C-alpha cells in the first residue's frame, strides 16, 4: 500500500513540537508519560513521535526506524538525561537557596530545549520527502486501540513486554498506556 499523500501532507502541517505541547497538556498525559519513563525506561520523545504519527494515520516502518531510534537515544542519554539528572539532584540539595533555585530553573529550561531539539530531529526524519515512503506507512484502518498500539510501537522494539513486570508495576504501566490511548483517540484526524 502506497503512502497516503493526504495523510503525509497533514503530518507536514502539524509540527511535532506543537502536537507534543497540546497532547502533553491533556488530562493524565504528563503523569502517564513520567510513569512510563521512570518505570519502564520509555523515551517520552519517541512516545510523542509515535502518537503524532498515530493521529495522522501513519506509522514508522520498523527497519527504517532502528537507526533513527538509536540516534535519538544517544541524544537523550548524552544530553537530555544528563540535564534531567542534574535538575533532580539540585531539587534535593541540602540547603536550597535562591541561587540553587534559579540554577535548577535554568537547567530545567535547558532540559526542555534538549527535548525540543530531539523532537525536531524526529520530525525532520519523518518529513523527509525523498525518504518518506521508505520510512512511513499508512496505519491499517482497523487498528486496535491507541494504548495497545503505543505499547507495540514503543515497548516491543526494545524487547520489553508488560508481562515481564510484577503485577503492581504492570498495572501502573498498562494504566499509563490506556490513559495515553484515550487522550490520543480524540485527537485522531479523520481519514
Amino acid at each position: 500500500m502506497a503512502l497516503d499523500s493526504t495523510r503525509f501532507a497533514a503530518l507536514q502541517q502539524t509540527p511535532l513540537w506543537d502536537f507534543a505541547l497540546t497532547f502533553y497538556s491533556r488530562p493524565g498525559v504528563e503523569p502517564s508519560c513520567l510513569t512510563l519513563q521512570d518505570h519502564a525506561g520509555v523515551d517520552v520523545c519517541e512516545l510523542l513521535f509515535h502518537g503524532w504519527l498515530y493521529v495522522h494515520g501513519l506509522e514508522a516502518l520498523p527497519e527504517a526506524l532502528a537507526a533513527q531510534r538509536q540516534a535519538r537515544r544517544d541524544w537523550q542519554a548524552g544530553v537530555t538525561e544528563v540535564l534531567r539528572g542534574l535538575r533532580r539532584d539540585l531539587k534535593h540539595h541540602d540547603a536550597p537557596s535562591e541561587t540553587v533555585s534559579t540554577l535548577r530553573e535554568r537547567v530545567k529550561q535547558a532540559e526542555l530545549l534538549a527535548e525540543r531539539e530531539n523532537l525536531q530531529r524526529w520530525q525532520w526524519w519523518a518529513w523527509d520527502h525523498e525518504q518518506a515512503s521508505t520510512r512511513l506507512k499508512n496505519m491499517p484502518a482497523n487498528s486496535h486501540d491507541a494504548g495497545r498500539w503505543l505499547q507495540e510501537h514503543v515497548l516491543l522494539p526494545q524487547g520489553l513486554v508488560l508481562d515481564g513486570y510484577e503485577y503492581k508495576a504492570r498495572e501502573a504501566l498498562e494504566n499509563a498506556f490506556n490513559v495515553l490511548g484515550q487522550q490520543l483517540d480524540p485527537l485522531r484526524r479523520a481519514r
Side-chain angles (χ1 to χ4, degrees):
M1 177 188 303
L3 180 62
D4 185 315
S5 61
T6 303
R7 293 180 192 187
F8 186 67
L11 184 76
Q12 292 181 305
Q13 296 301 311
T14 308
L16 177 51
W17 178 250
D18 293 348
F19 165 81
L21 291 176
T22 300
F23 182 60
Y24 205 76
S25 69
R26 295 185 65 86
V29 170
E30 180 180 358
S32 294
C33 287
L34 295 177
T35 294
L36 293 169
Q37 174 183 278
D38 293 342
H39 300 291
V42 169
D43 178 351
V44 173
C45 289
E46 182 178 353
L47 179 82
L48 293 168
F49 169 73
H50 287 294
W52 177 61
L53 294 177
Y54 175 87
V55 300
H56 291 90
L58 300 168
E59 59 188 19
L61 291 165
E63 308 81 35
L65 186 63
Q68 178 66 1
R69 176 179 280 128
Q70 188 57 53
R72 302 289 38 89
R73 284 189 182 153
D74 290 348
W75 174 267
Q76 289 293 80
V79 180
T80 309
E81 290 171 13
V82 172
L83 293 167
R84 182 178 301 127
L86 180 57
R87 177 182 53 82
R88 287 178 175 174
D89 288 348
L90 289 169
K91 183 177 185 178
H92 302 292
H93 197 266
D94 289 338
S97 66
E98 185 177 325
T99 305
V100 170
S101 296
T102 301
L103 177 59
R104 184 175 182 276
E105 188 57 37
R106 289 192 180 159
V107 170
K108 183 178 178 180
Q109 290 304 312
E111 180 186 356
L112 185 62
L113 286 172
E115 289 177 335
R116 184 175 186 166
E117 177 64 23
N118 199 24
L119 289 171
Q120 287 175 329
R121 291 177 185 201
W122 276 113
Q123 173 186 290
W124 294 330
W125 180 83
W127 278 3
D128 184 344
H129 289 282
E130 294 176 13
Q131 299 292 322
S133 63
T134 64
R135 294 178 176 177
L136 303 175
K137 68 177 183 175
N138 299 333
M139 191 170 56
N142 62 349
S143 65
H144 45 286
D145 72 85
R148 175 76 60 203
W149 187 88
L150 278 174
Q151 282 182 44
E152 291 173 1
H153 286 77
V154 174
L155 291 181
L156 292 181
Q158 299 179 61
L160 300 174
V161 290
L162 292 182
D163 293 341
Y165 292 89
E166 65 177 58
Y167 176 75
K168 192 172 184 175
R170 183 175 63 238
E171 189 176 346
L173 296 173
E174 285 175 349
N175 182 57
F177 276 116
N178 287 334
V179 167
L180 295 175
Q182 290 167 1
Q183 293 300 332
L184 270 178
D185 281 334
L187 294 174
R188 198 166 181 188
R189 296 176 169 274
R191 292 185 238 310

